[in-house]
Amino acid sequence: MKLPSTKMAAVLIMLLLVIAIIPVGIAMEWDGHTEAEIPAWELKWETAGINGIEEAAAWPAGEWSFIQASGARPLPPPGTASAWLRLSLPPAGANPAILIDKVYGDSLKAFIDNRLIYDSDGDVEYSGNKVLIPLPAQDSAKQLYLWNAGSKEFGIEGEVRVGSYNKLLSFYVKQDLVDLVLGAAMIFMAGALLVCLLFLKPEFFYSGFYLILVIISFGVLLITYSPFLPLIISGGERLRGICFDLALFTLMPAFTLYFEQLFGPGKRGLTTRVRNFQLTYSLFCAGALILNAVLSFRLDALYSFLTINVTGTLMIAQFMYLLYLALSYARRGNTDAIVFSGGFTVFAVVSLSELLHYFLSTERYHLYWWKWGMVVFVISLIVILGRRFAGSHEKAVEYSRELEKFNNDLQRSEKMEIISELAASVAHEVRNPLQVTRGFLQILGERSGNKEKEYLQMAVEELDRASVIITDFLTFAKPGMDTVDVFEVSGELKHVAGILVPLANLQGGSIELRLQKDLQVTGSPAKFKQAFINLIKNSIESLQEEGLIVVTAWRSGESIIVSVKDNGEGMRVSELARLGEPYYSNKTKGTGLGLMVTFRIIEAMDGSIEFNSRKGEGTEVMITLPAFADN
């Protein structure tokens, strides 16, 4: 199986790109860290106005709530818009920093000794993002005050680490940057695939185009969901949310469309109906998005319900339905379904495992590995498309070979038809004069001297040889079975061997028979024997010292197979290719008519003949005939 070079190159580049990214991303995920962790901190809600750091530092210890880092983030009381958090910093070396795993809200400020050391200045809208705050070296082992506010939610949760700024920065960048890299790689793959699709036929273009939509949707979801994106693009949270939603709305129908292109509309067209429903729902959600934007996002609550609760439920149902169908097709031996099920199962198992871990950890686990399951799934989709390309190319090559064989058979048939007509005409016109001439020569031989008799006998022998050639011409011109009967193959082959054993012995060879019993075929026994006499004579003439001809006959299914194998001179590939052509022979005085007659007889019996030979090693002829069906 071989893909066209341009398509093969494109597919390999995309696959190698993804495979090259995977170990890098895994190394990022597993990058160890030994920084000190802060196990707990203190919290005080701010309910009346905004207090400065001086007031916060003066609050007595009894007004602060103790919060464990391993616990869930406490929800703010009604009417609360900000909070103060107090953390005791452990001793740190040179160039220290603090890394907070998840921060929520619109604003974050940090103070040490009533000095402001960090201010987000409202540029970042935190939604579970990491925050890295450099610390002055002289402020190690002191208390850090954080002021956090937000219009919807605020607070911190997860791990809080204190250590070297460089090490924390490396961890801070690596853990979420891989999402952007993978998302960009997905979009790049989709673009490369789109360029390849422009040169394909429409039936391949559409299935490939739906796959491109799936890959682009996954890429956009990865990029817009990444916590790292808000750190390099200030603001734009609303725009990122819109891009995320549009990718989700595209993914649902595109994924089902691609599945439908691969495996059909499903039983009673259910897959097509699911696709139509998803397309309608996605358009409805896109309309709701536009309406919400026109109304200055005053329908956020309703829109969130549609895009989170309803869409999430529909996606789970969609994936379960498609996975069920894929497994059903895979059980029937569909290779594409097996590949799809394998990739989708990896994606589903990894995602489900992480979701279970996430919920069991009271929503404190950060989802990492789902994206690698998604990469495996996307690769499986690309493999399926590549198999379709390869299958199409292989079919085209097969059709080309069949067409070439058909043309060769047609040309051979036309040649044989012309030669048959010519042979029949010549044979009828020449046979009678030859017989008359032979009679006169015999009369002259009776009245001539010894010397003249010798010459006349030679002339009669040549006339007899000419008569045999004319008989071959007639058989070739009219190979049909004059008398059709059911006969035993083994008996006829034994008779042929009995006739030709003396000739084989004269050549220093022998004939060995390995014949099964009860091998019956339909045809003319006389012409059957004529065909095998020609074949075995050719083998005898090719023998050298200690030559051996093995004739084997057996039944295989609904066919009778006869093999004539010798250890004679053998033939070259160029000679094998010309066997059966009119007047071609590799013998000095041969006409090629004997083998042509054999071909015609076997064809008339609805059989086939095949030659295998190597120069210096011998030749094997395999004749396949339909077995007699005794109803």
Side-chain angles (χ1 to χ4, degrees):
M1 192 183 323
K2 187 178 179 182
L3 282 170
S5 58
T6 54
K7 298 169 189 171
M8 174 70 83
V11 172
L12 286 178
I13 289 172
M14 289 187 289
L15 290 179
L16 289 174
L17 179 64
V18 175
I19 293 171
I21 292 172
I22 288 177
V24 176
I26 293 176
M28 291 180 178
E29 302 289 2
W30 280 100
D31 190 17
H33 47 83
T34 57
E35 295 77 16
E37 292 188 15
I38 298 178
W41 52 82
E42 295 173 290
L43 168 68
K44 179 171 174 38
W45 302 111
E46 200 169 45
T47 56
I50 299 177
N51 298 288
I53 180 60
E54 294 81 4
E55 291 85 351
W59 283 328
E63 297 185 14
W64 294 83
S65 301
F66 192 74
I67 307 298
Q68 290 285 347
S70 58
R73 175 170 56 92
L75 299 177
T80 303
S82 61
W84 282 94
L85 299 101
R86 185 166 63 186
L87 302 89
S88 297
L89 300 176
N95 199 21
I98 181 171
L99 177 62
I100 305 172
D101 191 30
K102 295 180 182 178
V103 177
Y104 298 87
D106 304 327
S107 182
L108 181 68
K109 296 181 181 182
F111 301 87
I112 295 181
D113 290 340
N114 298 341
R115 289 180 290 106
L116 180 66
I117 63 170
Y118 176 84
D119 187 357
S120 67
D121 200 22
D123 291 335
V124 179
E125 296 178 356
Y126 300 105
S127 56
N129 305 346
K130 291 181 177 61
V131 174
L132 180 65
I133 302 175
L135 299 175
Q138 68 275 14
D139 291 333
S140 177
K142 294 183 178 181
Q143 285 191 328
L144 173 71
Y145 286 83
L146 295 175
W147 180 80
N148 182 217
S151 57
K152 296 180 181 178
E153 58 178 349
F154 53 92
I156 68 172
E157 66 178 355
E159 297 176 341
V160 178
R161 302 184 184 92
V162 177
S164 167
Y165 176 81
N166 292 332
K167 290 184 179 179
L168 288 175
L169 178 63
S170 174
F171 176 75
Y172 170 69
V173 171
K174 285 180 179 179
Q175 206 169 32
D176 294 322
L177 180 61
V178 66
D179 297 340
L180 298 184
V181 175
L182 270 181
M186 293 280 183
I187 295 174
F188 172 79
M189 282 196 305
L193 187 58
L194 179 61
V195 173
C196 296
L197 290 180
L198 296 177
F199 301 96
L200 298 180
K201 295 181 179 179
E203 58 266 27
F204 293 110
F205 176 84
Y206 289 117
S207 59
F209 181 71
Y210 299 141
L211 176 59
I212 288 173
L213 291 180
V214 171
I215 296 175
I216 289 179
S217 300
F218 275 133
V220 174
L221 289 175
L222 274 172
I223 292 175
T224 54
Y225 184 72
S226 173
F228 193 80
L229 187 62
L231 304 177
I232 57 177
I233 301 177
S234 299
E237 183 181 9
R238 181 69 69 176
L239 179 60
R240 292 195 299 273
I242 291 174
C243 292
F244 182 90
D245 291 344
L246 290 176
L248 200 60
F249 301 155
T250 304
L251 175 64
M252 293 176 62
F255 186 47
T256 308
L257 277 165
Y258 181 67
F259 187 92
E260 184 182 8
Q261 286 286 320
L262 293 178
F263 305 113
K267 189 175 182 181
R268 298 180 181 176
L270 184 57
T271 303
T272 301
R273 289 201 291 268
V274 169
R275 178 251 297 171
N276 291 335
F277 171 78
Q278 288 177 330
L279 187 59
T280 303
Y281 179 76
S282 293
L283 292 174
F284 172 75
C285 289
L289 172 62
I290 296 172
L291 180 62
N292 191 28
V294 171
L295 297 177
S296 301
F297 302 101
R298 290 196 292 269
L299 300 178
D300 270 348
L302 176 60
Y303 178 74
S304 297
F305 175 77
L306 288 174
T307 56
I308 296 176
N309 301 84
V310 178
T311 302
T313 303
L314 290 177
M315 287 191 69
I316 292 174
Q318 172 194 12
F319 285 173
M320 291 179 63
Y321 169 70
L322 296 182
L323 181 59
Y324 166 76
L325 285 183
L327 291 174
S328 300
Y329 294 136
R331 284 196 297 269
R332 301 173 195 169
N334 188 314
T335 305
D336 289 342
I338 294 173
V339 175
F340 180 92
S341 302
F344 192 77
T345 301
V346 170
F347 177 50
V349 169
V350 171
S351 301
L352 182 60
S353 301
E354 286 217 304
L355 283 174
L356 289 175
H357 192 180
Y358 175 76
F359 289 119
L360 290 175
S361 63
T362 63
E363 302 182 5
R364 301 188 58 78
Y365 174 72
H366 185 68
L367 302 176
Y368 294 131
W369 297 103
W370 69 276
K371 51 182 167 281
W372 301 113
M374 183 197 66
V375 169
V376 173
F377 181 44
V378 169
I379 290 177
S380 71
L381 298 181
I382 295 176
V383 168
I384 293 172
L385 185 64
R387 278 178 45 81
R388 291 297 175 97
F389 289 161
S392 173
H393 176 67
E394 188 172 323
K395 285 182 181 178
V397 172
E398 184 179 351
Y399 292 155
S400 177
R401 289 172 181 167
E402 290 180 356
L403 181 61
E404 182 179 2
K405 182 177 180 298
F406 175 78
N407 288 333
N408 291 338
D409 292 344
L410 182 61
Q411 291 178 7
R412 182 174 178 272
S413 176
E414 291 175 350
K415 289 180 181 178
M416 293 302 176
E417 188 66 28
I418 294 172
I419 295 170
S420 297
E421 294 177 3
L422 179 62
S425 175
V426 171
H428 282 297
E429 295 297 329
V430 173
R431 169 170 277 187
N432 290 335
L434 285 180
Q435 292 297 329
V436 173
T437 303
R438 188 179 188 280
F440 284 131
L441 289 176
Q442 287 178 328
I443 293 172
L444 289 174
E446 294 175 357
R447 300 176 180 179
S448 302
N450 293 333
K451 191 64 175 176
E452 289 79 5
K453 282 184 178 180
E454 181 180 350
Y455 291 138
L456 291 172
Q457 182 62 33
M458 291 175 60
V460 169
E461 289 176 356
E462 288 301 309
L463 287 174
D464 288 340
R465 192 167 73 87
S467 180
V468 170
I469 293 174
I470 291 171
T471 301
D472 285 343
F473 263 117
L474 286 173
T475 304
F476 173 76
K478 189 180 178 182
M481 306 293 109
D482 296 329
T483 303
V484 177
D485 199 358
V486 178
F487 61 91
E488 174 68 31
V489 169
S490 301
E492 300 300 330
L493 290 176
K494 288 178 182 178
H495 187 238
V496 170
I499 295 173
L500 296 177
V501 162
L503 180 61
N505 293 337
L506 288 174
Q507 290 286 109
S510 61
I511 299 175
E512 179 180 332
L513 300 179
R514 300 173 184 175
L515 310 175
Q516 286 185 2
K517 296 181 180 180
D518 299 325
L519 303 178
Q520 294 184 327
V521 297
T522 304
S524 169
K527 292 194 175 181
F528 177 85
K529 285 187 287 189
Q530 182 182 356
F532 278 91
I533 286 173
N534 290 337
L535 290 174
I536 297 175
K537 278 185 63 179
N538 286 342
S539 294
I540 292 173
E541 292 170 358
S542 71
L543 293 179
Q544 299 174 356
E545 294 182 2
E546 297 183 359
L548 176 64
I549 300 170
V550 179
V551 181
T552 310
W554 70 95
R555 186 185 184 107
S556 177
E558 300 299 321
S559 300
I560 303 298
I561 301 175
V562 182
S563 166
V564 179
K565 185 176 182 179
D566 65 64
N567 59 354
E569 296 179 359
M571 291 177 282
R572 299 184 182 89
V573 176
S574 58
E575 294 172 327
L576 279 174
R578 297 193 62 187
L579 289 180
E581 288 186 7
Y583 310 117
Y584 174 76
S585 175
N586 55 6
K587 294 181 287 188
T588 305
K589 295 184 179 181
T591 62
L593 281 174
L595 197 54
M596 289 170 60
V597 167
T598 300
F599 270 93
R600 297 282 282 179
I601 292 173
I602 299 301
E603 288 176 1
M605 295 179 68
D606 296 325
S608 62
I609 183 167
E610 179 182 354
F611 286 81
N612 296 296
S613 182
R614 296 187 67 176
K615 192 67 176 178
E617 296 183 10
T619 302
E620 182 178 16
V621 187
M622 300 284 290
I623 296 92
T624 303
L625 297 169
F628 170 69
D630 188 4
N631 297 325

